[in-house]
């Protein structure tokens, strides 16, 4: 990712200015996603109108009807995932903005305890049991693979949910 909000060199300190640049960079990504996927336009949209926008033949033919119905279902599904993703981005941006007061306690977030930070601002961390696509099980799984399996498995497991996961 390149842009005015992304530093070109390694960061060894993370002050309020860097934190605000991070928020702006994330906000730019969110606005880009909304512009590409959630705004109306003349092109084919991945939403409930997808099947109506595709002109593939005689609409009275059963195969065309099935295709149109399935295209609408697919478009509706993609639109729902895009909207959920956009809401997640916005919730994360809001949580980061709410956590700005951390700089009253430190001038370098890189030297601040991440555990203390997440305890004080839990909304900045990933909600437990969630994933970017809404499936149960979370994306990390924790030390023992997580109760629902997780996709990472944590310290003791692998991609299969860990030796103690998936229970």
């Amino acid at each position: 990712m390149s842009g005015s909000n992304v530093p070109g060199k390694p960061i060894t300190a993370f002050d309020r200015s860097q934190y605000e640049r991070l928020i702006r960079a994330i906000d730019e990504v969110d606005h880009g996603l909304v512009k590409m996927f959630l705004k109306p336009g003349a092109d084919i949209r991945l939403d409930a109108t997808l099947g109506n926008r595709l002109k593939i033949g005689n609409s009275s033919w059963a195969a065309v009807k099935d295709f149109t119905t399935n295209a609408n279902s697919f478009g509706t599904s993609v639109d729902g995932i895009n909207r959920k993703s956009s809401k997640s981005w916005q919730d994360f941006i809001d949580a980061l903005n709410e956590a700005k007061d951390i700089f009253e306690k430190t001038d370098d977030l890189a030297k601040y305890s991440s555990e203390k930070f997440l305890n004080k601002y839990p909304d900045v961390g990933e909600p437990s049991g969630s994933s970017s696509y809404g499936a149960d099980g979370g994306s990390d799984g924790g030390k023992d693979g997580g109760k629902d399996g997780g996709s990472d498995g944590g310290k003791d497991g692998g991609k299969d949910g860990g030796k103690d996961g998936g229970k």
Side-chain angles (χ1 to χ4, degrees), residues 125-144:
E126 182 177 5
S128 62
S130 73
S131 72
S132 59
Y133 298 106
D136 290 336
S139 62
D140 184 350
K143 178 180 177 226
D144 294 323

Side-chain angles (χ1 to χ4, degrees), residues 10-15 18 107-111:
I11 298 174
T12 56
F14 199 74
D15 62 12
Q18 292 289 350
D107 59 356
D108 185 358
L109 195 55
K111 294 178 182 172

Side-chain angles (χ1 to χ4, degrees), residues 40-144:
D43 55 347
I44 292 179
R45 305 297 304 166
L46 291 175
D47 62 14
T49 66
L50 177 61
N52 301 331
R53 293 177 180 260
L54 301 174
K55 307 298 181 198
I56 59 170
N58 186 341
S59 61
S60 63
W61 186 29
V64 171
K65 284 182 183 177
D66 289 345
F67 182 85
T68 301
T69 298
N70 289 331
N72 284 339
S73 295
F74 175 72
T76 299
S77 174
V78 171
D79 185 58
I81 290 169
N82 286 340
R83 290 182 187 283
K84 183 176 179 181
S85 175
S86 181
K87 180 170 179 356
S88 294
W89 277 95
Q90 191 55 56
D91 289 348
F92 183 54
I93 292 165
D94 292 346
L96 288 173
N97 277 313
E98 289 174 15
K100 280 183 184 178
D101 66 349
I102 192 67
F103 292 101
E104 293 172 12
K105 295 186 173 148
T106 184
D107 59 356
D108 185 358
L109 195 55
K111 294 178 182 172
Y112 194 81
S113 163
S114 60
E115 184 177 352
K116 282 169 108 177
F117 181 79
L118 287 176
N119 284 337
K120 184 164 174 65
Y121 307 102
D123 291 341
V124 172
E126 182 177 5
S128 62
S130 73
S131 72
S132 59
Y133 298 106
D136 290 336
S139 62
D140 184 350
K143 178 180 177 226
D144 294 323

